[in-house]
Amino acid sequence: MLTKKRSLWGALAGVLIAVIWVGLGGPAVGIVIGLAALGWIIGMILDNPDTLIKLLERLKDR
């Protein structure tokens, strides 16, 4: 349950930043999608650090 909350909060933070940015001008769709996706990815990394560690270890072994 906690995983979903953090990734959701990250995505919502990205959307909020995008909406503020759009209020000042700019292409709305790209900003909203990009920042929401970035927030979701950051939330998922914070919730699942083991996955990131495993990925970095595999990259190191190459």
Side-chain angles (χ1 to χ4, degrees):
M1 186 74 173
L2 185 61
T3 301
K4 292 180 183 177
K5 286 184 180 180
R6 283 190 184 166
S7 58
L8 180 62
W9 280 114
L12 289 174
V15 169
L16 180 63
I17 292 169
V19 169
I20 291 169
W21 190 323
V22 169
L24 299 174
V29 176
I31 293 171
V32 169
I33 291 172
L35 290 175
L38 180 64
W40 180 77
I41 290 169
I42 291 170
M44 290 301 292
I45 289 171
L46 292 174
D47 283 342
N48 302 310
D50 294 337
T51 305
L52 179 62
I53 292 169
K54 288 177 185 175
L55 175 66
L56 292 174
E57 287 176 349
R58 281 189 283 170
L59 291 173
K60 180 183 168 188
D61 291 339
R62 284 186 176 184

